[in-house]
């Protein structure tokens, strides 16, 4: 049975760019010929469909699955999801907030992983019940830390929870342009391997407004960071397994 690589992305602090990085990883995976699903784990986050610019698209969202019973059919579920540029998205819905049982969240992730190559999960903070439902199935987690003092403090508070939940935790540092030496220092202080520096993408706000998914431009900062995550989490994981 097909089993996708499941990558979790967690923001070390609010608004650091975790949802955008999640979307960019999924977009770059699709551009590399993989079948990605972007999974929204942030119930009141506004919706990962908005980040990907497809909030107007019809299709299944989390509240449609809340009352389901039993196993989910992965390929059928993926067929019913809204998608853009080869990225299928299971998003929360700003207009309908429905609590989800942990068992449903877990079952949905398992079903998706049978029909996708990569599932990229926009994880909430580790103290959230949806984190607890998703984390045991995640193969690798990316902690996206901000480079300011509050961003670094938040990342250090979260890091140990991630390490307890997942054997492979990597650091990405969001920075407006400090050198790689600073990123190495942060990685050393947090005791996490540095995967990528996520630089500013000046066109991002306009792109999101115009429905252009993050990571779409192969030359952009987000595509570069997403490629590094994919190289480690998917290509590297395949190499480690062989
Ligand atoms: N690499 C980037 N370059 C420029 N702007 C970015 C970048 N990443 C994120 N942003 C901007 O930062 C804002 C927050 O991004 P995002 O929603 O991904 O953060 P988040 O960490 O998911 O926030 P939350 O804590 O609410 O979940 C967005 O307006 C987005 O346009
Ligand atoms: Mg978010």
């Amino acid at each position: 049975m097909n089993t996708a690589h499941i990558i979790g992305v967690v923001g070390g602090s609010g608004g650091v760019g975790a949802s955008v990085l999640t979307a960019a990883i999924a977009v770059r995976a699709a551009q590399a010929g993989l079948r990605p699903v972007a999974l929204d784990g942030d119930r009141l986050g506004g919706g990962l469909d908005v980040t990907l610019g497809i909030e107007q698209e019809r299709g299944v969202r989390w509240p449609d699955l809340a009352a389901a019973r039993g196993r989910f059919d992965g390929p059928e579920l993926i067929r019913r999801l809204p998608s853009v540029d080869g990225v299928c998205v299971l998003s929360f819905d700003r207009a309908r907030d429905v609590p989800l049982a942990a068992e449903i969240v877990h079952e949905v992730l398992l079903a998706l992983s049978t029909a996708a190559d990569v599932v990229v999960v926009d994880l909430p903070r580790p103290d959230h019940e949806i984190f607890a439902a998703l984390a045991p199935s995640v193969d690798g987690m990316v902690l996206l830390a901000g480079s300011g003092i509050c961003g670094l403090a938040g990342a250090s508070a979260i890091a140990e929870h991630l390490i307890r939940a997942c054997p492979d935790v990597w650091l990405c540092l969001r920075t407006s342009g400090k050198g790689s030496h600073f990123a190495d220092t942060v990685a050393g202080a947090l005791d996490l391997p540095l995967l990528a520096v996520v630089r500013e993408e000046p066109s991002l706000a306009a792109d999101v407004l115009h429905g252009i998914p993050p990571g779409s431009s192969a030359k952009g900062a987000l595509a570069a960071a997403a490629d590094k995550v994919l190289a480690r989490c998917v290509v590297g994981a395949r190499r480690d397994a062989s």
Side-chain angles (χ1 to χ4, degrees), residues 14-20 42 174 198-201 204 222:
V16 71
S19 299
V20 163
D42 191 4
R174 169 93 190 273
V198 183
R199 299 192 192 282
E200 205 68 13
E201 182 121 328
L204 185 71
L222 280 160

Side-chain angles (χ1 to χ4, degrees), residues 15-20 22 40 42 45 48 51 122-123:
V16 71
S19 299
V20 163
T22 300
D40 192 353
D42 191 4
L48 198 55
T51 306
D122 187 12
L123 285 167

Side-chain angles (χ1 to χ4, degrees), residues 144 173-181 183 196-202 204 220-225 228:
L144 178 61
L173 187 72
R174 169 93 190 273
T175 161
S176 50
K178 292 189 180 72
S180 58
H181 174 67
V197 168
V198 183
R199 299 192 192 282
E200 205 68 13
E201 182 121 328
L204 185 71
L222 280 160
K228 287 188 178 160

Side-chain angles (χ1 to χ4, degrees), residues 20-234:
V20 163
L21 182 60
T22 300
I25 295 167
V27 166
R28 289 300 288 170
Q31 290 180 356
L34 298 169
R35 296 168 301 166
V37 173
L39 186 67
D40 192 353
D42 191 4
R43 183 174 144 197
L44 297 176
L48 198 55
D49 53 352
V50 177
T51 306
L52 279 149
I54 52 168
E55 66 275 19
Q56 309 292 351
E57 293 279 322
R58 295 166 73 94
V60 165
R61 285 169 173 75
W62 272 119
D64 300 309
L65 305 175
R69 294 277 171 275
R71 290 267 156 92
F72 292 89
D73 177 335
E76 175 60 16
L77 178 54
I78 287 187
R79 262 194 299 279
R80 294 172 59 208
L81 296 177
S83 69
V84 57
D85 297 345
V87 178
C88 298
V89 188
L90 179 52
S91 178
F92 281 98
D93 186 339
R94 345 114 293 271
R96 296 178 294 156
D97 176 36
V98 179
L100 290 169
E103 200 183 333
I104 287 188
V105 174
H106 175 72
E107 286 293 334
V108 164
L109 178 54
L110 286 189
L112 293 174
S113 74
T114 64
D117 296 317
V118 187
V119 180
V120 194
V121 190
D122 187 12
L123 285 167
R125 304 281 179 92
D127 58 349
H128 198 289
E129 58 195 18
I130 291 180
F131 181 94
L134 292 170
S137 307
V138 170
D139 298 309
M141 284 192 196
V142 173
L143 172 59
L144 178 61
S147 52
I149 185 74
C150 296
L152 294 172
S156 84
I158 283 175
E160 68 172 278
H161 292 276
L162 302 191
I163 291 163
R164 246 183 270 138
C166 183
D168 285 319
V169 180
W170 296 283
L171 176 72
C172 284
L173 187 72
R174 169 93 190 273
T175 161
S176 50
K178 292 189 180 72
S180 58
H181 174 67
F182 177 70
D184 288 335
T185 305
V186 172
L190 294 175
D191 200 17
L192 290 176
L194 178 68
L195 203 49
V197 168
V198 183
R199 299 192 192 282
E200 205 68 13
E201 182 121 328
S203 66
L204 185 71
D207 286 351
V208 171
L209 214 55
H210 293 108
I212 299 169
S216 294
S217 164
K219 290 190 177 146
L222 280 160
D227 285 352
K228 287 188 178 160
V229 173
L230 285 166
R232 179 66 199 102
C233 297
V234 179

